[in-house]
Amino acid sequence: NQVRARAGMPPYNGSAMGQARLRERIYNEDRIEFCFEDHRWGDERRWKLFDKQTMNGELNLPIYKQIYHMYRIQINTDPDTQEVTNYTYPPAEKYPVRSFLSPKNYYFPIPDTEVKKTPNLQQNKGWEVGD
């Protein structure tokens, strides 16, 4: 709330809205604030959003809550006046669906040379290699 006050935004009353609703508001606020700064993938991994929904199940959610399906913005204009008539959000033409393996994609692999140096060190889940 201190940051929100500095920006001239109203404070959140976390006790009145509950933890789940407060987190949803914070996730959405970050999504909007950092939309063109290439932070979204890191946020989704850090918040473990991929564990909370499935690729097929999210199609019933609003577009802004979807993490697996990618969309683009299509600006439609009037052919005569060239004025914007509306916006649509069709699926992305290239890579319309993300692939994510949990828990593998939440972590980076430990270099194999380091694992071999320290026998007690275990490779992160999903990154194990055969003997």
Side-chain angles (χ1 to χ4, degrees), residues 67-129:
I67 55 174
Y68 283 104
H69 294 85
M70 304 297 287
Y71 295 89
R72 62 189 172 95
I73 297 176
Q74 182 174 334
I75 302 170
N76 302 309
T77 58
D78 183 310
D80 298 328
T81 63
Q82 296 302 314
E83 292 183 20
V84 174
T85 55
N86 66 352
Y87 302 94
T88 56
Y89 304 93
E93 293 172 358
K94 191 173 186 180
Y95 310 116
V97 179
R98 287 182 179 175
S99 174
F100 192 89
L101 300 172
S102 180
K104 178 181 180 179
N105 292 140
Y106 283 124
Y107 307 101
F108 291 110
I110 299 169
D112 193 47
T113 55
E114 299 302 315
V115 174
K116 288 178 179 173
K117 284 182 197 175
T118 314
N120 292 336
L121 181 63
Q122 298 291 315
Q123 183 58 267
N124 286 327
K125 296 254 187 267
W127 293 101
E128 302 91 350
V129 287

Side-chain angles (χ1 to χ4, degrees), residues 25-36 40 43-44 47 63-66:
R25 296 281 301 266
I26 290 170
Y27 292 162
N28 188 52
E29 196 169 282
D30 277 7
R31 182 182 65 87
I32 293 167
E33 186 173 346
F34 301 117
C35 65
F36 297 112
R40 186 74 178 146
D43 288 344
E44 290 166 347
W47 296 331
I63 289 175
Y64 74 91
K65 287 188 176 183
Q66 295 184 22

